[in-house]
Amino acid sequence: MGPSRSSLKFWAVIAALVTASVLRCAPLEANGGILNYRAVFKPCYGAKDAVKIALREFERNGSSRVLIVDTASFQTEEVDASTIDFNREVEKKVWRKTPFASALYRYTAGRDGLIHNDGIIRAEAATPGVFLTVDMCPSKRSFNRDLFASTIALPVKDRPIAIAVSGLWIERHRDEFNWIVEEARSNRLSVTWVNHSYSHPYRKGVPDEKNFLLSEGVDLDKEALGLEVLLLENGLLPSPFFRFPGLVSDRRALERLRALSLIPVGADAWLAKGRMPGPGSIILVHGNGNENRGIEKLINFYEEKKEDFKEGRLTLKPLKDAFAR
Ligand SMILES: [Zn+2]
């Protein structure tokens, strides 16, 4: 006996759902012209013998492109592959000592068991600055525009902000995303785009060791690279920083992150959890409408410290400045 008409219909629906989800999770070839996006690790010399590392290779609109990081400044850049001379070898003893490679190895040193809040959590050297990181996990709510507006209104140079963005948040909040991008293009905000994974897996009630990126079947490489492609398609530069969803990782996840040359970023001042920032703190708030208590605390902090910001006794700093050089 063959399958019944209703079971055929059931499988047709499943097939359509699978196709739709594959298409949704693989926007890579669909627009932006980015193909063959892959992680590499190729140290090379730039101008004035600056040590750089090519981290990604890909094709954009038919030409070979490279995402490269400056090992002293942690600044990434997209360049044409033909502009880099890979023939001049950088010895391991040279690139391994650079601030970028040292930080990458230090913050991805695998440890056994479940790990919360791994990675850099505060500045490595004394500074009057704090580092604002804003998580944009997938959300059904509107974003906290007031968080961005209050940051733009601060009397600090460049208004630096690190936005840990997920692909699904971008997909579902196009207008809000475009608004932030426009604020950055107009130099009202200076955004470091931190990788918060593409789909940001999360299942309520599931223990942390089997949740977030540690969920069964999750491919961390695809999650991280997929988000980078989405940023590049939108004309934005991925930074070499990664924030684990839920701040949850384990040895395997850290090893994958090292292989992708991504430095994990935790926080020592998750405002909604009652931790207030001190000098050098990495501040964590959610800007996706899911944690308004944190936003209220941040805006109060801005208000309380108004004079300190004005007089330069306190400032916001870009995330790359949290690393000692
Ligand atoms: Zn998140």
Side-chain angles (χ1 to χ4, degrees), residues 135-138 164 166 196-197 200 212 243-247 286 288:
D135 285 10
M136 303 304 264
C137 331
S166 63
H196 199 34
S197 83
H200 192 295
F212 300 105
R243 169 153 285 148
F244 279 108
L247 297 182
H286 283 76
N288 61 355

